[in-house]
Amino acid sequence: MQSVPEYACELSIGSQSARNNAFLAPMAGITDRPFRQIAERFGAGLVVSEMIASAALITGHGDMVRKLGKTGKLPHVVQLAGCEPEWMALGAKIAHEAGADIIDINFGCPSKRVTSGYAGSALMRVPDIAMTLVDAVVGATPLPVTVKMRLGWDDDNLNAPEMARRAVDAGAQMITVHGRTRQQFYKGIARWEPIRAVVEAVTVPIVVNGDITDLASAREALTQSGAAAVMLGRGAQGRPWVVGQIGAQLRSETPIEAPEGDALVDLIREHYEQMLLEYGVQVGGRAASKHLDWYLEAAELVLDKPVRNALLNTEDPKLALAMIGEIFSGEWKAAA
């Protein structure tokens, strides 16, 4: 069996350097600033913004402008989506002015709402249009440009190697590949081995994405793909610390321990409160509920339906914070 590549210990994107080789994936409605802050604090190598629609950004859409917010000390990676070169170029300029250090272009989102407009993974079907976007963004700012894609549109069109080669020729300096096609959405099992063809097609770092949840799966993904780094998406839901843990372990370093007991309560409370600050109390409380649900799942806590509904649906922050303390400290589990 092939070993993890030696270069999986150092990775640079243009003038920017990753802290380690485990990255947090961009996830719309999930990897907002509060989530990224926690992942960064626990040692993630890079964190990426939520997907930002370039067309909405250039019109000043408030939610898209909010998504530009810088997280911390890591290079600020902003992901843009769109299908018009002019909009993507303007979006890249706005992101640069807002403090972005790296611009990532979305060729991977499988959502019908995105692909119906020939954005996201629909761009895998129209390589010539896709490359006009890379050209436009590369030409719009001096920032490093990266691309996130899938294996292809479907199993009859596994064109990631060719798309990656053309993107790199146009100036892209890193490529992330999710080991599924668009038609798979998130079903089935991610295939890491076909990503090796992408690695062999280009000279820039390749990042493997899909179904990576722990050190074992990260090492296997690197071994099968030959990639330089791993990227976690759904595997970090309810466990924002796991990205940094994997990054440290890949470098044979001691990771920051996963929070338990009072430390877990404090982290979840902080996350909840930061969501309220980010969005306002009403919207933030609703946005936080999915994270609370993922924290419950990660902690393997099964609540009675009325209790679970009370935690996830309350509009009273004081009640939510009190319940978080009781439930995640272990007191609730002991009482059951």
Side-chain angles (χ1 to χ4, degrees), residues 65-148:
V65 173
R66 176 193 60 76
K67 291 178 180 181
L68 283 177
K70 186 174 175 63
T71 305
K73 295 182 179 180
L74 288 176
H76 183 32
V77 188
V78 171
Q79 188 187 71
L80 295 178
C83 58
E84 294 288 343
E86 181 179 2
W87 295 348
M88 291 291 285
L90 287 173
K93 290 179 180 178
I94 292 170
H96 186 192
E97 292 170 359
D101 297 305
I102 298 171
I103 303 294
D104 185 64
I105 303 174
N106 187 313
F107 286 5
C109 180
S111 165
K112 291 181 180 179
R113 184 176 65 177
V114 175
T115 58
S116 63
Y118 271 114
S121 56
L123 290 163
M124 304 293 290
R125 303 179 73 183
V126 284
D128 290 345
I129 294 176
M131 295 312 137
T132 66
L133 306 185
V134 182
D135 285 333
V137 174
V138 169
T141 81
L143 300 178
V145 174
T146 64
V147 175
K148 189 172 189 294

